[in-house]
Amino acid sequence: MSVQPEPLVLVPRQEVAATVQRLAAEIKRDYHDKAPVLVGVLKGSFIFMADLIRMLDFRLTVEFVSLSSYGKGTESSGRVKLVRCLASPVRGQDVLVIEDIVDTGLTIAFLLDYLRKKKPASLKLCALLDKPARRKVPVTIDYLGLTVPDKFVVGYGLDWDEKFRHLPDVCVLEGSED
Ligand code: 5GP
């Protein structure tokens, strides 16, 4: 049997909840009269998205896309693929992308480019976590939760090899040098 890396708490659940609440307040302020489309990036953002939208008390719709850039381990392959595209057109609508983490920026830059071509009225990005140390392309995060160090994080929806998504805290994997 292979050895499993041990998750250590980096951002406790209470801090994650307070961060999501702050982001919801910022989004409410800017979108309460706009009926935006929130586009969640699967799978990593599913818990964040679920918690966030329940704090938004205005009209909105939800879409999901799925992109793949990571293989099995903790290193990005650098190649981004759209695995699941938008189910409905967003032309003329206010689109807010909900992402779990921005690392090199390659994935989100690819997605924003794809969405921009759909001609939305506006296009903004909300990311729970930012790992700026390894950025390869510039990315503007309009609503940012927390900046994290250059470590591989799991929990609160984020995985390592499809494991650890269910952890309620944001954790780092012991020994991770990412
Ligand atoms: P990027 O293209 O910015 O390098 O990576 C973006 C995607 O890679 C994220 O949406 C996420 O799925 C994954 N990713 C990047 N850094 C991490 C990390 O530290 N932990 C986990 N679990 N996924 C990450």
Side-chain angles (χ1 to χ4, degrees), residues 7-39:
L8 300 174
V9 175
L10 175 70
V11 187
R13 62 200 77 180
Q14 298 83 352
E15 193 180 340
V16 174
T19 302
V20 177
Q21 203 161 18
R22 171 177 58 77
L23 289 171
E26 291 173 22
I27 291 167
K28 262 194 226 178
R29 181 197 62 205
D30 297 347
Y31 285 92
H32 66 276
D33 56 351
K34 289 198 162 87
V37 185
L38 269 58
V39 177

Side-chain angles (χ1 to χ4, degrees), residues 41-45 67-70 73-80 99-109 129 131 134-137 139 148-155 157-161 163 165 171 173 176 178:
V41 185
L42 293 172
K43 298 178 190 170
S45 73
L67 298 142
S68 78
S69 66
Y70 275 67
T74 59
E75 271 300 312
S76 171
S77 70
R79 288 186 307 273
V80 184
E99 175 65 304
D100 53 356
I101 185 165
V102 180
D103 184 12
T104 63
L106 291 168
T107 306
I108 204 67
L129 304 172
K131 199 165 36 164
R134 301 199 318 158
R135 194 72 97 249
K136 288 192 178 149
V137 288
V139 174
V148 292
D150 192 6
K151 300 266 185 193
F152 197 78
V153 298
V154 296
L158 289 114
D159 76 310
W160 173 78
D161 196 12
K163 300 174 189 82
R165 290 195 197 275
C171 300
L173 289 184
S176 158
D178 271 348

Side-chain angles (χ1 to χ4, degrees), residues 160-176:
W160 173 78
D161 196 12
E162 293 302 327
K163 300 174 189 82
F164 306 120
R165 290 195 197 275
H166 63 291
L167 300 178
D169 309 293
V170 172
C171 300
V172 288
L173 289 184
E174 199 177 23
S176 158

Side-chain angles (χ1 to χ4, degrees), residues 2-125:
S2 60
V3 182
Q4 282 252 3
E6 193 60 32
L8 300 174
V9 175
L10 175 70
V11 187
R13 62 200 77 180
Q14 298 83 352
E15 193 180 340
V16 174
T19 302
V20 177
Q21 203 161 18
R22 171 177 58 77
L23 289 171
E26 291 173 22
I27 291 167
K28 262 194 226 178
R29 181 197 62 205
D30 297 347
Y31 285 92
H32 66 276
D33 56 351
K34 289 198 162 87
V37 185
L38 269 58
V39 177
V41 185
L42 293 172
K43 298 178 190 170
S45 73
F46 80 108
I47 294 180
F48 174 37
M49 178 84 150
D51 283 349
L52 182 73
I53 61 171
R54 280 177 292 175
M55 292 179 187
L56 301 177
D57 55 358
F58 54 84
R59 201 151 60 88
L60 59 85
T61 56
V62 169
E63 285 285 337
F64 285 102
V65 292
S66 178
L67 298 142
S68 78
S69 66
Y70 275 67
K72 266 193 145 192
T74 59
E75 271 300 312
S76 171
S77 70
R79 288 186 307 273
V80 184
K81 267 194 324 197
L82 193 60
V83 180
R84 177 201 160 100
C85 55
L86 278 182
S88 68
V90 293
R91 193 184 185 95
Q93 294 192 266
D94 293 295
V95 173
L96 177 60
V97 176
I98 309 297
E99 175 65 304
D100 53 356
I101 185 165
V102 180
D103 184 12
T104 63
L106 291 168
T107 306
I108 204 67
F110 176 92
L111 177 62
L112 292 173
D113 210 45
Y114 162 81
L115 291 171
R116 216 170 276 122
K117 289 186 187 134
K118 307 259 173 214
K119 305 246 189 303
S122 69
L123 180 60
K124 287 192 177 182
L125 171 63

